[in-house]
Amino acid sequence: MNYFHLPLEEWTNRFVNQWLIPVLGGFFDSISNVVGAFISWVTNILTFIPPELMALILIFLAWRYAGVGIAIFTLIGSLYLGSVDLWFAAMQTLAIVIVATLFSIVIGIPIGIWSAKSPIVYAIVRPILDFMQTLPSFVYLIPAILLFGLGGVPAVISTFVFATPPAVRMTTLGIKQVPTDVVEAARAFGSTYWQMLTKVQLPMAVPTIMAGINQTIMLALSMAVIASMIGAPGLGSVVLAGISRVNVGLGLTGGLGIVVLAIVLDRITQGIGEKTK
Amino acid sequence: MKQIKCLFLTFFAFFLIVGCGPAETPEETPADDDTTPAEDVGDQSVTFGMTPWTSTIPPTTIAMLILEDMGFEVNQIEADAGGVYTGLSRGDIDAFMDAWLPDMHASYMEQFGDNIDSTSISYPDGELGWVVPTYVEEVNSIEDLKGNEDLFGGEMYGIEEGAGMTMTSGEMIDEFDLDLQYVASSEGGMLAQVARQIGAERPVLFLGWRPHPMFVDYDLKVLEGQDDFFATSEVHVLTNIDFKDRVPEAYEFLSNWSIDVGDIEQMIVEIDNGRSAEEVAREWMENNQDKVAEMKGE
């Protein structure tokens, strides 16, 4: 199969080292500063709130959207995170998940709407989403450092790449699933493009979009350990510390923290999705 | 110290996996060299122990080629460090070119040292510790860091959370009361951050160890005053205790052995870039004919 030599390796290296970093380095630095400031702002808020109050807020949300069972689980989970001294780490992870999810939503949902409206956009976006979801994250993890520096920022960017596709896909699906008779009825009553979108299609798509956001959050959490390899603080780095020392106990302690966070976030966002049906 | 040792083993194992796939030294075939007339040495053979670390391959390959040129039959046995030391003590392996002493391989020497002869020092500067680029003129030692933390944005970059060097660095930060935050990531992560900072000529403080390609890629200095935390290793050539009497000429050569750590690093980079270890070793021998002659005792 070796009919000709494809110098992809050299091209990529030359592109990154001679153009991307020297020419756009400053641009990426400023993105890095903004995102970094945003992450530390969210982290500061989450860690400034006393753990007891934060736990109460989470328990309330769990009770309100997911029922008594999950509220009790949230109480136990919070006590667990406190008692193994991982509350602070959990809030650091939560901050990165929140920031990455926000980016995914802000960028993913409009693209999802656009793809639903335009077959051409959909044809372009779809392979890009496949690419984002299947390209192993290790491939862009280290290059993300070259552009954004070590720490929470490349973690958020990598998480964004990995976690955005479901937000886009589910938004597209949700809008496409709105029954045609409803759309035609709305059109018959003379609704404009924007009215159609904001008053008919989006409201009916909300449960599907929420399912997409739920998936985005779960994928973002699943990046926590990988992201700690590029300097993201939080539960992931606890797990990494455990496994690199073959300290099984420490690894499990941190890993269970991620599980607690995941279940609580999953049930709450799922509940919000159900309630909006 | 044990953790640092484990860490080092991990590094080198990692190098092997990522670094030298195609450059694995093939099993040596008997010499096809016709320039040096083979002396009549009978069935004398020399067996080298080869650990899968990138730092072992260049010196071992060179030593094997030179001994081959001298007319000896050379073999190599690939094994991990424990296997190499066991083989050395039993005599299955005659020589090992990459022994990290006194600290990192201390446990092996305790166990097998009685049957092992420390023949020469390959290079004395197996340094490790905190490093900065040479263009950071303000900082030459750990003491200089005090009050200069802002130069580095209050951060230093390291490898995995939980690694030996990470823990030692934490102790150093406490001991010298430095206002630094240790940002743990991974070797690749740390090096990417270093590439970014050095590319922009910004000061950067991070973990280094030799031999490592980073010393070829950048001008770096290992900070002074950290001996109590990161002890510099000497890389020794070891032989089996009976080797000296069995093959005296080969022992004589190995006892004259020495090589520059910078040369080792250069060769590691070349091998990483896909050249064969033998080709790289031959090139070194071409460029260092005086040194080779001296080691051969000519």
Side-chain angles (χ1 to χ4, degrees), chain B residues 3-192:
Chain B
Q3 262 137 353
I4 292 184
K5 191 192 81 191
C6 293
L7 180 79
F8 249 76
L9 298 182
T10 319
F11 286 155
F12 288 122
F14 180 71
F15 286 170
L16 173 82
I17 295 160
V18 299
C20 50
E24 261 329 332
T25 315
E27 285 291 332
E28 287 299 324
T29 46
D32 53 1
D33 192 84
D34 51 4
T35 52
T36 319
E39 292 160 43
D40 183 19
V41 287
D43 61 348
Q44 288 185 312
S45 68
V46 186
T47 304
F48 282 88
M50 186 77 118
T51 48
W53 312 325
T54 47
S55 64
T56 314
I57 294 165
T60 310
T61 311
I62 292 172
M64 284 172 61
L65 289 172
I66 293 177
L67 284 173
E68 235 171 40
D69 289 353
M70 289 167 75
F72 294 97
E73 187 195 328
V74 292
N75 301 300
Q76 69 171 24
I77 292 177
E78 285 172 28
D80 66 356
V84 166
Y85 278 93
T86 314
L88 260 181
S89 72
R90 286 163 41 88
D92 306 327
I93 289 172
D94 295 315
F96 177 49
M97 305 297 292
D98 202 19
W100 288 72
L101 299 173
D103 294 312
M104 272 191 288
H105 292 177
S107 60
Y108 300 121
M109 286 308 272
E110 270 167 36
Q111 203 177 345
F112 301 115
D114 292 346
N115 294 319
I116 293 176
D117 176 84
S118 176
T119 308
S120 56
I121 291 175
S122 187
Y123 47 93
D125 26 24
E127 297 167 287
L128 74 163
W130 294 11
V131 298
V132 298
T134 44
Y135 60 72
V136 185
E137 284 160 9
E138 300 89 331
V139 176
N140 291 305
S141 69
I142 301 294
E143 285 82 37
D144 294 346
L145 284 172
K146 187 77 194 149
N148 273 328
E149 291 97 336
D150 284 349
L151 208 58
F152 305 99
E155 287 185 339
M156 72 163 297
Y157 304 104
I159 52 172
E160 285 83 358
E161 198 74 63
M165 285 182 91
T166 298
M167 288 188 276
T168 310
S169 298
E171 288 163 21
M172 272 171 73
I173 290 172
D174 290 344
E175 177 73 28
F176 291 96
D177 192 25
L178 298 170
D179 186 18
L180 282 173
Q181 200 201 339
Y182 182 94
V183 182
S185 60
S186 53
E187 186 190 342
M190 179 186 83
L191 290 175

Side-chain angles (χ1 to χ4, degrees), chain A residues 38 97-113 132 156 159-161 163-169 171 202 209-218 220 269 272:
Chain A
F38 189 36
V97 169
I98 288 175
V99 173
T101 307
L102 277 180
F103 281 123
S104 295
I105 292 172
V106 167
I107 294 170
I109 290 182
I111 291 177
I113 295 171
M132 286 164 73
V156 162
T159 306
F160 165 80
V161 171
T164 304
V168 179
R169 282 190 217 274
T171 305
L202 277 182
I209 294 174
M210 281 309 296
I213 293 174
N214 172 274
Q215 284 304 301
T216 297
I217 294 175
M218 292 300 106
T269 49
I272 295 174

Side-chain angles (χ1 to χ4, degrees), chain A residues 263-274:
Chain A
I263 292 179
V264 171
L265 289 178
D266 177 65
R267 298 301 188 275
I268 291 176
T269 49
Q270 224 171 40
I272 295 174
E274 306 264 310

Side-chain angles (χ1 to χ4, degrees), chain B residues 219-236:
Chain B
D219 286 328
L220 303 175
K221 54 188 176 189
V222 180
L223 296 182
E224 282 159 27
Q226 45 185 336
D227 296 347
D228 293 343
F229 297 91
F230 294 108
T232 299
S233 284
E234 289 177 340
V235 176
H236 287 238

Side-chain angles (χ1 to χ4, degrees), chain A residues 21 25 28-29 32 142-143 145-151 228-232 237-238 240-242 244-245, chain B residues 3 155-158 160-163 167 183-197 202:
Chain A
I21 293 170
F28 284 112
D29 277 353
S32 177
I142 300 288
I145 300 173
L146 289 174
L147 296 177
F148 301 105
L150 211 54
S228 69
M229 297 181 74
I230 53 173
S237 70
V238 175
L240 199 63
S244 64
R245 262 187 272 169
Chain B
Q3 262 137 353
E155 287 185 339
M156 72 163 297
Y157 304 104
E160 285 83 358
E161 198 74 63
M167 288 188 276
V183 182
S185 60
S186 53
E187 186 190 342
M190 179 186 83
L191 290 175
Q193 176 72 1
V194 168
R196 174 181 150 87
Q197 298 294 93
R202 283 186 289 243

